[in-house]
Each structure stands twice: as structure tokens, then as C-alpha cells.
Amino acid sequence: MTATDPALTALAQGWCALSLLHGRIETHIERALQAGHGLSVREYSLLDVLSRQHDGDGGHLQMKQVADAVVLSQSATTRLVTRLEDRGLLQRYLCPTDRRGIYTNVSEDGLRLLEAARPTNQAALREALDTAATDPELAPLVRAVEELRVPAQP
């Protein structure tokens, strides 16, 4: 392939459109979450991921798993966890079976904030997608996002 290869150009154009859609959605959600709840998109995502943990086998996530889920480096995730812990939205404690492991759970205040912010997140996502759907370049991507279904976990 060369830099002028039509397939490469189409691929690059597709990537640019996807990046544009992501940026617009994230910016719209960020503004809504900040204005309504004092949360960033990353903070919301972290609270959401951690709220889905459970006790029992495989219930708690390791920091690397959390970092992957919120699309941050492990060090950035640790800093984010610390900020939310300082705000009283998260709690850390030692793993009862492995004293080297540290678990992070959403506090009651964190759960209340997350529940209050969920409708804001959903509404902002819907608004951003509806706006993007009016752009001919982004409309096919919006349709693809709307058609995505997460497979059921076994």
C-alpha cells in the first residue's frame, strides 16, 4: 500500500469520522455530567465500572482490568481512584485472602451520585447521537452504534 492508495484513504477517512464522532459524544457528555453532577466522563465511567463488581469469585476487578475498562493507563487510573476516594466516592480495602491485593468499591455517596448521574449520561449520549445523525459523514457510524448489542455473558 502507498499513501495514495484509495483503500488506505478510505480507511483513514473512516477512522477520522469515528474519532470525530467519539470526540463530539464525549465532549457533550462531559459538559452535561460536569454541569449536573460535578463529574467528568472518566470519573463517571470509573464509578460505573466499579459499581458493577460483586463479591465472590471473579467479582472484584484488578486495577489493570479497571484501567482497560475506562481506557486509561494504570497510573492514570490510580490517580483517578485517589481523587474519587478523596471525595468520599470510593473506598479501598485489602483483599481478605491476599494481603497484597487492594480492592476498590464505590461508597454509598458514590452510588447515590452515580444513580443521579445515569439519566444525565443517557440523555447526553442520546442528544449527541441525534445531532451526529444529521451529519451525512457521521450518520452511518451512529446507525452502527445504535445497532450494537453486547452479547450476554455466560
Side-chain angles (χ1 to χ4, degrees), residues 46-87:
L46 180 65
L47 289 172
D48 185 54
V49 165
L50 291 175
S51 75
R52 297 172 195 278
Q53 296 184 119
H54 58 85
D55 289 327
D57 292 342
H60 279 85
L61 300 173
Q62 297 172 353
M63 197 55 72
K64 181 179 180 349
Q65 293 170 303
V66 174
D68 288 347
V70 296
V71 194
L72 290 173
S73 68
Q74 281 187 258
S75 61
T77 302
T78 299
R79 288 190 301 273
L80 184 58
V81 165
T82 299
R83 278 199 317 270
L84 291 177
E85 184 179 34
D86 290 347
R87 290 174 58 188

Side-chain angles (χ1 to χ4, degrees), residues 61-129:
L61 300 173
Q62 297 172 353
M63 197 55 72
K64 181 179 180 349
Q65 293 170 303
V66 174
D68 288 347
V70 296
V71 194
L72 290 173
S73 68
Q74 281 187 258
S75 61
T77 302
T78 299
R79 288 190 301 273
L80 184 58
V81 165
T82 299
R83 278 199 317 270
L84 291 177
E85 184 179 34
D86 290 347
R87 290 174 58 188
L89 303 175
L90 296 178
Q91 302 160 332
R92 288 189 240 199
Y93 64 95
L94 291 176
C95 170
T97 58
D98 180 357
R99 304 300 274 175
R100 296 170 296 172
I102 298 175
Y103 288 158
T104 304
N105 279 337
V106 181
S107 69
E108 289 300 318
D109 286 346
L111 288 173
R112 278 192 291 278
L113 181 58
L114 179 62
E115 288 308 309
R118 273 198 173 114
T120 302
N121 183 73
Q122 285 299 110
L125 174 58
R126 181 74 267 156
E127 290 166 4
L129 287 171

